[in-house]
Amino acid sequence: LGLEDPDRAHFEGIFLASSWYPLAPYLRLVERLAALQRRPLREWMRDQARRTARLDVEKRDRAALAARDPEDMARRLPRAFNRYFRPTHAALESVGPGEARFVLVRVPADHRDFFLGSNDGFCAGAFAELGRRARLEYLPERPESTRGSVPTLTIPFVLRW
């Protein structure tokens, strides 16, 4: 961030862990951080989200993410996604042995790599805490109606372990 950065005042403010903050300044920050490291945004976000998942499972959100088995973890994942990414929303459609089906809705089309990287990493990190490898398969995206001036997507995916 430079001295003339329009987001400077936002990041110099006081942040409370229990509060919700505008997403736009954070998106601009992580885009810059990924560019500084010469890494694609989705890859950079995947690594950050893996660490976040580990911390949430071990400490920050241990009660909500304390899963007995992979199916139980799959049922808990939408809560974690929805905690971080309002107004984008994740919903579990079905869960069974070895796989779960989800849908992400209201994903801003211009920032899909941010959200998909976060989803990739958080699922991988949460399942790693169970000693399992998460494999995600994204199904065809569907455009939604534009929310205000922001085109959004519905993105279904299958998580296998």
Side-chain angles (χ1 to χ4, degrees):
L1 297 177
L3 292 175
E4 302 303 318
D5 193 294
D7 296 326
R8 184 174 182 204
H10 174 79
F11 288 111
E12 288 179 344
I14 297 173
F15 289 84
L16 303 173
S18 62
S19 295
W20 180 245
Y21 298 97
L23 189 57
Y26 180 69
L27 281 168
R28 288 189 291 270
L29 174 66
V30 298
E31 287 168 351
R32 285 182 233 160
L33 292 172
L36 284 171
Q37 293 181 8
R38 293 183 174 86
R39 296 178 64 202
L41 177 61
R42 185 166 175 176
E43 177 185 303
W44 192 90
M45 284 306 303
R46 185 178 54 239
D47 292 346
Q48 298 304 310
R50 276 185 76 95
R51 284 192 281 282
T52 298
R54 187 182 71 246
L55 288 171
D56 280 2
V57 170
E58 291 176 359
K59 297 177 182 163
R60 286 191 293 228
D61 211 7
R62 188 168 50 194
L65 291 170
R68 303 179 308 276
D69 54 47
E71 289 81 8
D72 190 32
M73 180 62 81
R75 287 183 196 93
R76 295 166 184 264
L77 284 175
R79 180 183 183 278
F81 185 93
N82 295 334
R83 174 179 159 209
Y84 287 113
F85 295 121
R86 292 177 292 193
T88 299
H89 182 77
L92 175 66
E93 293 187 327
S94 66
V95 65
E99 84 169 30
R101 292 180 175 271
F102 299 87
V103 64
L104 303 176
V105 296
R106 297 188 301 267
V107 176
D110 289 347
H111 301 295
R112 68 182 291 287
D113 285 346
F114 170 85
F115 288 99
L116 294 184
S118 297
N119 192 53
D120 296 344
F122 201 92
C123 290
F127 273 77
E129 293 301 308
L130 293 175
R132 299 294 182 106
R133 182 173 173 261
R135 296 178 315 280
L136 280 75
E137 174 190 356
Y138 290 97
L139 303 175
E141 301 171 357
R142 297 184 304 271
E144 298 174 352
S145 60
T146 300
R147 295 178 61 86
S149 62
V150 179
T152 58
L153 303 169
T154 292
I155 306 174
F157 70 98
V158 180
L159 169 64
R160 294 184 177 90
W161 54 87

